[in-house]
Amino acid sequence: MAVRIRLKRMGKKHQPFYRIVVVDQRKKRDGRVIEEIGTYDPTRQPSHMQVKGERAQYWLSVGAQPSDQVLKILKLTGDWAAHKGVKNPVSRVKVAESDAEAAAKAIQAVEDEAIKRKADAAAEKAKEEAAKAAEAEAPAEETTETEEA
């Protein structure tokens, strides 16, 4: 039996979602599978790819052949390099920020801007006070000079 690792399409029209599955190559695209080893969602930004690495390694070691699309996913996740014997394979999958992380970053940016504005306002106030103090000292010196003459 020839075993393939390929994508099984899920989701609605114009909203594809794929499962990475191990299946007999004679079966239909969305037919009965041997095992599901991951997911792929191309509609997210960046695309979501998740593969159970140890299961992918097992199936590759027993001779399962990945489809072209799955091969690209395995190369991005680093599982293909691990199968080929590379030490310390690197995953190049971009991970999207969760909504909570994005909200926390936005709040931090707003707080940083408020702190910057307060510091700028304090510096401006200090400059004005220094200028007033200089003006107050300058007329006093002028009056003493005219009285001496």
Side-chain angles (χ1 to χ4, degrees), residues 49-51 72-80 89-93:
M49 293 174 230
Q50 181 179 356
V51 178
K72 290 178 184 177
I73 292 171
L74 292 176
K75 285 181 180 179
L76 284 174
T77 60
D79 293 317
W80 186 253
V90 178
S91 175
R92 296 179 295 164
V93 176

Side-chain angles (χ1 to χ4, degrees), residues 1 15 18 80 82 101 114:
M1 174 168 77
Q15 294 180 355
Y18 299 95
W80 186 253
E101 290 173 355

Side-chain angles (χ1 to χ4, degrees), residues 120-131:
D120 290 345
E124 225 17 75
K125 189 174 182 180
K127 285 181 183 178
E128 289 176 6
E129 289 177 2

Side-chain angles (χ1 to χ4, degrees), residues 19-55:
R19 291 185 182 164
I20 301 170
V21 296
V22 178
V23 63
D24 179 5
Q25 78 176 27
R26 296 171 291 187
K27 297 283 184 179
K28 296 179 181 180
R29 177 191 72 180
D30 299 335
R32 187 166 179 227
V33 300
I34 299 170
E35 183 180 0
E36 294 178 0
I37 61 169
T39 58
Y40 169 56
D41 187 359
T43 58
R44 289 189 187 178
Q45 290 299 327
S47 297
H48 171 76
M49 293 174 230
Q50 181 179 356
V51 178
K52 296 176 188 171
E54 65 278 349
R55 296 309 297 161

